Amino acid sequence: MSMFKKMEISDTKSDKKPEGETEKVKCLIIGSGPAGYTAAIYAARANLNPVMYEGLEPGGQLTTTTDVENYPGYPEGVTGPEMMEDLKKQAGRFGTDIRPGIATASDLTASPFKITVDDSKIIEADALIIATGATAKYLGMESEQKYMGSGVSACATCDGFFYKNLDVAVVGGGDTAAEESLYLAGICKKVYLIIRKDHMRATKVMQERVMEKENIEVLFEHVTKEIVGEGGVVTGVILQNGKGEEVRKDISGFFVAIGHTPNSGIFKDYLETDEVGYIKTIPGTAKTNIEGVFACGDVMDPHYRQAVTAAGTGCMAAMDTERYLGTRKF
Ligand code: NDP
């Protein structure tokens, strides 16, 4: 499973005044990744009549990946798009009203919560489930886009297995890059860790683990210039070292680990987040600091970021919503 992070909603607050109609719903779900669809399946089966807006990338990040081999229940694996199509059908089967549309603004001052869709329509929701995901940061090179899914990945846990006994590179100097390198070092022949500065930002203990690992070569003061390939797959990376010289490393996989951006921008005036923007939930629940607003999946999870964990928190969000709606009169 690859975790190519893409925006599911608009992440910037819109200044445009919505001019369109207003619609009242009981349960609104924003985002259509594994968290959103699982929340929808549970909410629909609990007769909450959920309405879902799919977001910028219907199906979420998994629609940009190839094989998903680590989601339980698929012994032969499944493609990301197929899995999301299955989840969509399952959510639809129980009556979820799945609609195209991007959440562009929010007003969570009081219930019903107001969500503007496509800068035009306002949905008033008694309960809101936010499942808008997170976006992996990329270096922004054309070649990175070109080899996305055929050598370029933003998730070692998801795609590392495809590079068993091969040489790969990881870019980034934080804890994620350190973790990804260590994970890959257990699978791959050699891991080049590309760091732009002369030091790592990762915690000391992670740095030590990286340095101690025999098959990780840390390349300090190296900047990625180009990812190169042949026949549509990655074969190498061109770097520039601290002296300004070009260096080529032959690799089959290039893992970007330079951080993620949770898609929580339109809620930031109302919801508590950590310093990066991940929505804070009460541990063991999907509850946010606002009663009736729930968060699930990658938008509230800086640690695991897996389809199966997203689905798990989606289930929690729907169950918390059911209890919330059941104890109040609207
Ligand atoms: P960070 O923001 O901590 O680190 C990002 C890294 O990527 C930095 O080294 C940065 O370099 C580098 N970088 C950014 N942009 C570029 C670029 N364009 N080219 C090359 N390098 C670039 O992100 P992480 O995802 O690593 O971590 C996020 C948070 O999650 C942190 O607080 C971290 O501690 C935490 N975390 C904790 C884990 C754990 O406890 N096990 C595991 C994973 C994450 P530079 O330093 O030069 O800015």
Side-chain angles (χ1 to χ4, degrees):
M1 175 188 76
S2 185
M3 299 295 264
F4 300 136
K5 306 280 173 181
K6 294 237 174 126
M7 295 274 287
E8 283 182 348
I9 57 160
S10 165
D11 207 36
T12 49
K13 200 161 183 167
S14 169
D15 292 330
K16 273 192 208 166
K17 275 226 157 41
E19 291 157 4
E21 61 198 291
T22 296
E23 181 187 352
K24 176 86 194 305
V25 306
K26 201 190 303 191
C27 171
L28 176 65
I29 300 170
I30 315 175
S32 58
Y37 281 137
T38 305
I41 292 164
Y42 274 78
R45 293 186 80 252
N47 279 338
L48 304 185
N49 308 321
V51 170
M52 169 190 277
Y53 279 94
E54 291 181 304
L56 195 60
E57 186 174 54
Q61 299 159 49
L62 282 177
T63 56
T64 63
T65 190
T66 48
D67 293 328
V68 180
E69 293 185 338
N70 55 6
Y71 197 94
Y74 293 99
E76 305 305 324
V78 61
T79 69
E82 265 179 275
M83 188 174 125
M84 297 320 294
E85 202 45 50
D86 282 349
L87 281 174
K88 183 175 182 173
K89 277 189 207 146
Q90 197 173 350
R93 181 181 151 211
F94 297 110
T96 308
D97 183 349
I98 302 170
R99 306 173 180 177
I102 299 164
T104 48
S106 78
D107 177 356
L108 309 184
T109 318
S111 176
F113 308 110
K114 295 173 191 63
I115 300 294
T116 307
V117 176
D118 293 335
D119 282 326
S120 59
K121 176 169 179 163
I122 292 178
I123 304 291
E124 293 187 346
D126 291 334
L128 173 65
I129 297 178
I130 300 169
T132 48
T135 306
K137 292 182 192 161
Y138 284 94
L139 297 171
M141 297 175 308
E142 230 173 79
S143 52
E144 188 182 41
Q145 277 297 323
K146 182 175 170 188
Y147 294 109
M148 197 77 85
S150 48
V152 174
S153 167
C155 180
T157 325
C158 320
D159 296 329
F161 185 74
F162 301 117
Y163 303 94
K164 201 172 174 179
N165 297 327
L166 298 172
D167 292 352
V168 298
V170 176
V171 63
D175 280 324
T176 301
E179 259 192 355
E180 305 260 282
S181 303
L182 289 163
Y183 179 82
L184 290 166
I187 300 171
C188 304
K189 197 161 94 196
K190 174 147 195 168
V191 180
Y192 296 101
L193 178 55
I194 305 162
I195 297 169
R196 64 182 173 182
K197 290 192 177 139
D198 64 357
H199 60 274
M200 286 183 80
R201 190 194 290 197
T203 43
K204 264 273 167 294
V205 61
M206 295 300 281
Q207 292 191 35
E208 282 166 13
R209 281 186 204 156
V210 164
M211 296 304 171
E212 281 164 13
K213 200 83 192 168
E214 270 177 16
N215 60 341
I216 299 180
E217 183 179 337
V218 183
L219 303 169
F220 286 112
E221 292 188 90
H222 278 68
V223 175
T224 308
K225 300 310 274 183
E226 210 62 70
I227 298 161
V228 290
E230 271 172 40
V233 294
V234 169
T235 53
V237 60
I238 311 288
L239 309 168
Q240 191 177 59
N241 68 18
K243 296 177 195 151
E245 298 157 347
E246 270 198 2
V247 183
R248 180 190 160 117
K249 297 290 178 193
D250 293 331
I251 52 159
S252 305
F254 184 85
F255 290 83
V256 188
I258 60 171
H260 289 84
T261 310
N263 298 324
S264 60
I266 62 165
F267 311 109
K268 70 176 187 296
D269 290 347
Y270 307 96
L271 296 183
E272 280 175 17
T273 66
D274 69 8
E275 64 283 359
V276 181
Y278 287 96
I279 296 173
K280 284 190 182 171
T281 53
I282 297 170
T285 77
K287 297 174 188 173
T288 67
N289 58 300
I290 296 181
E291 261 199 305
V293 178
F294 305 91
C296 53
D298 284 10
V299 73
M300 49 68 77
D301 173 16
H303 297 295
Y304 301 103
R305 302 194 285 242
Q306 300 299 299
V308 68
T309 49
T313 55
C315 161
M316 288 162 66
M319 291 181 75
D320 286 346
T321 301
E322 185 191 356
R323 283 180 200 138
Y324 169 77
L325 291 173
T327 53
R328 275 163 187 76
K329 287 222 173 322
F330 290 98

